[in-house]
Amino acid sequence: MYLTKIEASFKDNPKMFSSYYKAILHPRSTINSVITFNVNNLTATSLKEKAELFNTYFYSVFRPAKSTEITEAPLSLPTSALLSDFSISEEEVAEHLSNLDPSETPGQILKQCSSVIAPCLCSLFNHSIQSGTLPSELKSANVTPVHKKNKKEPAINYRPISLLSIISKVLERCVCHRFFEHVQDKINKSQQGFFHGHSCVTQLLATLQHIGHVLFLDLLKPSFPLN
């Protein structure tokens, strides 16, 4: 079923096919049996030791954001340009749940139970939006090391990737969908990177078509004055 969806979306959503194609050709590198951290001369062999070593390394290179006081500047936008209070419907939540990737177990469970859990999540999402707060559980992430370059033994050749909660991603998609509906008429159509199903390829094709159209009109012009 998942492969059928990828095949059907090849024309309208080439990014989905491209992501699947890359995952097949270039699977994620597995963590080597022995991981070293040269800064503190640490070596890890067991899974627990590897987790602690990566935690030590990632923490050592982490730089917390500087707390700066944000001053609200007065907005001179018309009232029609402001996104007022809105609420998310159960249908929206159920739709985004049904579009989750079923290749992973959490996504498959949420997808199959979308009609049952949509009302509860809808209530949670609306309360979060109205109160301007996000539950701490939705802010937590599982950090996994991904090999980026060179040898697999040194921990410095790995980068942390945060795996966020699927529920928080569903909330993000609901808000993003509402926000895009509000601003899509204000985005220039040439900015194709902001539109679903468009990419640098479609932008390049549109540019080449425009250039070809201009050249064609230029060739139609006479190269000598007419009497």
Side-chain angles (χ1 to χ4, degrees):
M1 181 178 180
Y2 180 61
L3 295 179
T4 304
K5 181 180 179 181
I6 293 178
E7 182 180 356
S9 64
F10 177 76
K11 181 178 180 180
D12 298 330
N13 188 11
K15 289 184 178 180
M16 177 180 291
F17 177 81
S18 177
S19 300
Y20 177 78
Y21 183 74
K22 290 180 180 179
I24 296 298
L25 290 184
H26 307 286
R28 291 184 178 180
S29 302
T30 56
I31 300 177
N32 203 42
S33 58
V34 179
I35 302 297
T36 59
F37 186 23
N38 296 330
V39 176
N40 296 331
N41 295 323
L42 300 177
T43 303
T45 54
S46 65
L47 294 178
K48 181 179 179 180
E49 291 175 346
K50 292 178 184 178
E52 293 177 350
L53 188 148
F54 277 119
N55 180 66
T56 301
Y57 168 64
F58 292 152
Y59 180 79
S60 66
V61 297
F62 174 73
R63 296 292 182 271
K66 296 181 179 179
S67 58
T68 56
E69 184 178 353
I70 301 176
T71 57
E72 296 184 1
L75 296 176
S76 58
L77 297 175
T79 306
S80 58
L82 299 178
L83 182 61
S84 58
D85 295 337
F86 65 91
S87 60
I88 299 174
S89 64
E90 296 181 7
E91 291 74 14
E92 289 180 88
V93 178
E95 179 182 358
H96 289 293
L97 287 173
S98 61
N99 291 331
L100 291 175
D101 184 3
S103 61
E104 299 180 359
T105 302
Q108 184 177 9
I109 295 176
L110 293 175
K111 181 182 179 71
Q112 294 178 352
C113 303
S114 58
S115 59
V116 178
I117 63 177
C120 298
L121 291 180
C122 180
S123 177
L124 174 64
F125 292 167
N126 285 324
H127 179 73
S128 176
I129 293 173
Q130 294 170 5
S131 62
T133 58
L134 189 67
S136 58
E137 290 79 3
L138 299 185
K139 299 178 183 179
S140 301
N142 292 328
V143 179
T144 180
V146 176
H147 179 254
K148 290 296 184 180
K149 60 180 180 179
N150 301 333
K151 296 181 179 180
K152 296 183 179 180
E153 290 80 8
I156 59 176
N157 292 337
Y158 290 80
R159 297 294 179 269
I161 302 297
S162 298
L163 303 179
L164 299 174
S165 168
I166 297 181
I167 301 299
S168 66
K169 293 181 180 179
V170 174
L171 171 59
E172 179 182 341
R173 291 175 183 176
C174 292
V175 175
C176 180
H177 179 71
R178 285 299 187 90
F179 179 76
F180 183 76
E181 284 184 342
H182 183 73
V183 302
Q184 62 178 342
D185 295 335
K186 303 174 179 61
I187 301 177
N188 192 300
K189 299 302 180 182
S190 299
Q191 300 290 334
Q192 299 196 21
F194 293 97
F195 294 94
H196 179 72
H198 294 71
S199 62
C200 297
V201 176
T202 56
Q203 178 71 69
L204 180 60
L205 291 175
T207 303
L208 292 176
Q209 183 180 11
H210 178 71
I211 295 175
H213 182 68
V214 173
L215 293 176
F216 178 74
L217 292 178
D218 186 66
L219 291 175
L220 292 179
K221 294 181 180 179
S223 57
F224 52 87
L226 297 177
N227 295 329

